[in-house]
Amino acid sequence: MAAPRRDTRGIVDAAELFARVRFRRREPAEALRPYLEHYWLIDWDLPQPYASHVVPHPSVNIVFQRFGDQDPFAEVSGIGLELFTQKLEGWGRVCGVQFRPGGFRPFFPDHPVSDWTGRRVRLPQALTGPAPQEAARATEATPVTGGTHAVPAMHAMHATVAAVLDPPEEDDRVGALDAFLLSLGPRPDPQADLAMALVERIRTDRGIRRVADFARAEGLSVRLLQRLFSAYVGVGPKWVILRYRIHEALERAETERAVDWAALAADLGYADQAHLVRDFTATVGVPPTAYAQAVR
């Protein structure tokens, strides 16, 4: 299994973020690596507030969070469909789990991953509560729901959150993440394996541009491919193709001195530069040329 990625794809103005926070990626335990991309750890102590921005991957995350003196918490964060912005101020710590696209369902097999998309659900509601839609509404109303039967689960989760966020040693935090995920007992699932393999092909093969062609090459109908992605990835294959295009455009804008946008649009499978500009602007909020100038 590959080591944690070293690229910055999805992070808007990664150099600025890394100048303000301590950001690391760590490998999970070997038994978890088929399902996880990596753990991501962030610590900060800022004299001035700072807003970080991320163009989300087609991945579900579980995120343990402490913002200053506020009560720490953990949540399942489904795939975000829009630009994600997080304001950081004072001091804090985040320990996140990024699942491989398709790798979340073996840990939470009761609902299709699309039910989590666009939602953030506090733990333990995500573990013990109803469907993600209802659990998300409960999270918005109050962090503790479910009456007296929920108290043991809440106590156990408080202990897990403390085990992940409190240790000064990074290895201890990683060990606590491993222990939590292994306790969930991921269930082997050939459909999850297939979904992970298909998304990895999209991510690494620039020649995959049309869903119908991709489905045909994989020996699947378009409808079957769409159902598989809904159940195991959380978004459709077309969304995944487009998102990885934007990730590459972001990285090229940050790392290349002069980007040939027309050539890049062609490389990424766009009909013309205007289509790339439209998608980039809709996702990031500014045109690619303006973004490239801002991050240099």
Side-chain angles (χ1 to χ4, degrees):
M1 195 61 62
R5 297 193 334 267
R6 299 181 64 86
D7 64 76
T8 61
R9 291 186 179 183
I11 302 174
V12 176
D13 199 353
E16 180 70 11
L17 174 67
F18 296 162
R20 294 175 180 267
V21 307
R22 185 164 177 251
F23 177 95
R24 294 89 68 208
R25 290 180 176 135
R26 293 288 301 270
E27 275 191 312
E30 186 172 355
L32 297 169
R33 291 174 196 170
Y35 309 103
L36 272 59
E37 292 274 12
H38 51 250
Y39 299 140
W40 50 277
L41 312 177
I42 301 177
D43 295 274
W44 68 90
D45 190 353
L46 300 171
Q48 300 291 333
Y50 168 71
S52 65
H53 306 281
V54 175
V55 177
H57 285 257
S59 298
V60 178
N61 287 258
I62 294 179
V63 191
F64 293 78
Q65 305 172 61
R66 172 176 284 133
F67 295 92
D69 294 326
Q70 299 177 35
D71 290 339
F73 64 95
E75 66 182 5
V76 174
S77 180
I79 296 172
L81 300 178
E82 299 178 348
L83 184 71
F84 174 76
T85 299
Q86 177 67 62
K87 183 179 180 181
L88 305 177
E89 54 187 336
W91 61 273
R93 170 174 290 167
V94 172
C95 298
V97 178
Q98 183 174 334
F99 291 85
R100 297 184 187 278
F104 178 75
R105 183 77 183 267
F107 295 82
F108 292 78
D110 294 338
H111 303 284
V113 179
S114 57
D115 283 0
W116 300 92
T117 298
R119 296 185 170 92
R120 300 169 70 178
V121 182
R122 292 282 181 99
L123 296 171
Q125 284 94 334
L127 294 170
T128 61
Q133 299 94 320
E134 287 75 22
R137 286 195 287 271
T139 294
E140 293 167 1
T142 172
V144 181
T145 63
T148 57
H149 71 278
V151 172
M154 286 300 303
H155 286 169
M157 185 49 57
H158 285 319
T160 299
V161 170
V164 170
L165 293 173
D166 287 355
E169 294 297 325
E170 188 175 301
D171 286 349
D172 293 334
R173 283 176 255 153
V174 170
L177 289 170
D178 285 340
F180 167 67
L181 290 170
L182 289 170
S183 74
L184 298 179
R187 306 177 189 177
D189 185 338
Q191 290 295 97
D193 295 340
L194 175 59
M196 287 188 282
L198 292 175
V199 175
E200 184 63 17
R201 283 174 204 153
I202 292 173
R203 176 159 64 182
T204 57
D205 186 351
R206 235 191 237 171
I208 296 173
R209 299 175 177 179
R210 298 182 67 250
V211 172
D213 293 341
F214 180 52
R216 188 180 307 110
E218 297 298 331
L220 301 169
S221 70
V222 170
R223 181 60 182 152
L224 185 59
L225 181 67
Q226 290 171 334
R227 290 210 310 263
L228 177 70
F229 271 58
S230 176
Y232 284 88
V233 181
V235 289
K238 181 178 180 180
W239 192 95
V240 174
I241 292 169
L242 292 174
R243 180 49 49 96
Y244 282 141
R245 287 176 175 177
I246 295 300
H247 280 176
E248 182 162 351
L250 269 171
E251 188 176 54
R252 296 276 288 273
E254 293 193 28
T255 58
E256 296 185 8
R257 183 175 298 274
V259 180
D260 184 336
W261 294 106
L264 178 59
D267 286 347
L268 296 179
Y270 282 95
D272 53 41
Q273 182 177 341
H275 283 78
L276 170 60
V277 170
R278 183 170 63 246
D279 281 355
F280 190 104
T281 304
T283 304
V284 182
V286 295
T289 51
Y291 177 78
Q293 292 171 358
V295 298
R296 289 179 191 143

